[in-house]
Amino acid sequence: MESGDKVWEVFVQKKPGLAFKHVGNCHGYDKKMAIQNARDLYTRRGEGRALWVVPAEAIVAVPLDDSDAFFDPADDKVYRHATFYTIPDGVKHL
Amino acid sequence: MNFELNENQSKFLIRIADTSVILGQRLAELCSRGPFLEEDIALSNISLDLFGRAEELYKIICSLEGNKFSPDDLVYRRNERQYFNLKIVEQPNEDFAWTIARQFFHDCYAKAVFETLKNSDNSELAGLSMKVLKEIKYSHMHAKDWMERLGLGTEESNQRLQFAVDHLLKYVEEIFDFDELDKMFLPNYKEIESNWQSEINQTLTACNLNRKEIPPLSMRDYRDGFHSEHMGHLLSIMQYLPRAYPDAKW
């Protein structure tokens, strides 16, 4: 496509109640075209019952250069995992 | 192979089925040649819907006719004059505007036809119509949105769409030249025509397009198996494989 088009990120919900999952992106000049293109690209085999498209430019991402500063500090803090206690016998859904 | 039909319902349905399969073939020609990736897939999806619709209609026809032939026989072994599709759907993909205008004209008509057929006494046909209406609703929306984008887009897109509309309107008159068979299965035929005309007029106006006085072509009726010059070429491509290799399985 040529100038004027935008990239949209596509999220599909498999069935009501489940979280929307990111599945990829598509092009579109406007919201309506974006949602139709997303439908044609990502739900043609019955993958979902609901769709979101979000302008890719609206997504705020951690700059690649900063990823060490953002994420490395978590690497050696295993104590943040809630695995240091025993689960009582009666608990089933944890 | 003898393709003569005996039942009125199958004689009527073959017009709808042939119209679907021929339009499906026209759209299939655009597979990998769409204006951009997303639209390529959208047109191929619509093409597949049309093939699926045609196949189900052919199955109903075959069973009405005592299974003397199969849907594949009907599609691959009939000659030009044995096809009964609207001439408008065999018109070529001159450019994207033609593809969209042709689709929009067809979908407005097909929507009305299946709205009526969903009340058919034939439960298979009624059930199929319910399913088909959902497909048409989407395809119709897709075509209408493009009518607006092209009509209200640039000077060039407007001119191209106007050119396509002017040409395709020549093939509209025969659609509404209903015969007894049409009237038997589409008792609301007058309403079908007036709704079609008003929807087309409204859309053209909203898209900054003119509906010119187009003299209809003096071509003979599609109901008698008459076609424009494009049909033979379309069939020669569509039927090549099963005609060259009659025993091929796929």
Side-chain angles (χ1 to χ4, degrees), chain B residues 164-204:
Chain B
V165 163
D166 291 350
H167 182 86
L168 292 168
L169 281 173
K170 294 176 194 169
Y171 297 93
V172 163
E173 196 187 37
E174 68 167 3
I175 303 176
F176 303 109
D177 199 6
F178 296 118
D179 66 359
E180 291 311 309
L181 203 53
D182 289 326
K183 291 176 187 172
M184 196 184 300
F185 293 97
L186 304 173
N188 55 339
Y189 63 95
K190 284 186 184 146
E191 199 183 290
I192 290 178
E193 177 174 11
S194 62
N195 288 347
W196 190 93
Q197 300 290 2
S198 67
E199 178 167 15
I200 296 301
N201 290 341
Q202 278 170 21
T203 307
L204 293 182

Side-chain angles (χ1 to χ4, degrees), chain A residues 27 32 36 40-41 44, chain B residues 38 41-42 45 138 145 149:
Chain A
H27 288 96
K32 210 171 169 188
Q36 288 178 12
D40 286 323
L41 284 181
R44 59 199 297 269
Chain B
E38 286 84 349
I41 293 174
N45 275 344
Y138 186 82
D145 288 344
R149 289 190 196 106

